[in-house]
Amino acid sequence: PLYYCEDFLTEEECDAIVRLVHASAPHSLGHANQAKLRIDIDANDTFLAPAEASVLRAVERRIAALTGVPGHCGEMPWAVHFTPAAAREGEENAREQPEDRMTLGLHVDTNNCRLKRWVTFIIYLHTTEPELGGHTVFPLALKCGSDEPKGQKFRKLHNAASLLTSSSVHHTGQASNPLLAEDVHEASRLLLAHAERIAAAAAGPGQGRM
């Protein structure tokens, strides 16, 4: 199941985490030619100021209260992902087109290849306008309690995802391998196109949302 929560973090907490990440980054964030960047953060790191560690521990307590599971050493480290905007020229091209919203591809697996991973928290630290992208998209998700669609369109999407996973393709970026069969390439294109349409109709990421 997927759960959506407004204001899971306050504006001040989001800003504090962003400042922490900027201080930890190996170079200035926001460079036009920069690739996607991941920075791990840990409330127990000795380089953190007491106020910074306090913010992270407050978030940890909130997550533990929501899940009913205290934090433990078997968890993946917390990470902040920075995705830079694509470089564009001219005001008319300043906003992404719908087909540009999935430029980083799409994960096909449901648990990032970790069989015992049962819950993931994704929290937005910035608000972006819908047309600028940044969405988290679940192309095959269904509303709680609804029956699985039986239409041809859904079957094609489901079969496309099954084909990719059975071909050991866990991300659509891997499907660009020229050694893979054409039906694998087509399955990847089909899922990406569907995800782009979802993103085009969705609300943009909002600061503090989980």
Side-chain angles (χ1 to χ4, degrees):
L2 302 174
Y3 297 94
Y4 178 86
C5 178
E6 289 277 5
D7 302 322
F8 187 74
L9 297 188
T10 66
E11 180 180 344
E12 292 75 20
E13 287 171 329
C14 291
D15 291 342
I17 294 173
V18 169
R19 287 194 300 270
L20 184 162
V21 169
H22 274 270
S24 306
H27 48 73
S28 177
L29 299 180
H31 191 275
N33 295 322
Q34 180 181 309
K36 183 174 180 178
L37 180 67
R38 168 190 168 126
I39 297 177
D40 291 345
I41 54 176
D42 186 342
N44 296 315
D45 282 346
T46 56
F47 75 86
L48 292 180
E52 295 172 332
S54 177
V55 169
L56 296 184
R57 290 197 177 98
V59 179
E60 286 179 341
R61 289 193 295 271
R62 208 167 302 156
I63 289 175
L66 188 60
T67 62
V69 180
H72 56 84
C73 61
E75 296 179 357
M76 293 291 293
W78 287 20
V80 174
H81 294 264
F82 173 76
T83 306
R88 297 181 183 277
E89 298 179 0
E91 180 65 25
E92 68 277 7
N93 292 324
R95 299 180 185 276
E96 286 187 325
Q97 299 302 312
E99 63 271 16
D100 294 329
R101 292 175 182 164
M102 304 302 298
T103 54
L104 293 176
L106 189 69
H107 286 279
V108 181
D109 59 311
T110 58
N111 60 3
N112 206 20
C113 300
R114 293 178 176 86
L115 297 180
K116 295 183 179 180
R117 179 175 178 172
W118 66 276
V119 64
T120 300
F121 278 79
I122 300 173
I123 305 171
Y124 292 108
L125 300 177
H126 276 302
T127 295
T128 61
E129 298 177 50
E131 59 268 31
L132 294 179
H135 304 74
T136 301
V137 178
F138 299 88
L140 299 182
L142 303 174
K143 289 185 178 180
C144 185
S146 62
D147 295 330
E148 185 170 301
K150 295 181 170 57
Q152 182 179 5
K153 178 181 176 181
F154 183 82
R155 285 201 303 272
K156 286 180 65 176
L157 291 168
H158 190 277
N159 291 340
S162 297
L163 175 60
L164 293 180
T165 53
S166 66
S167 302
S168 298
V169 173
H170 303 293
H171 188 277
T172 53
Q174 297 173 308
S176 60
N177 185 338
L179 299 179
L180 294 173
E182 178 56 31
D183 58 348
V184 175
H185 294 230
E186 179 56 32
S188 173
R189 290 192 290 267
L190 180 67
L191 284 173
L192 279 172
H194 181 62
E196 286 159 0
R197 288 191 290 272
I198 294 175
Q207 187 180 54
R209 289 178 183 164
M210 182 274 292

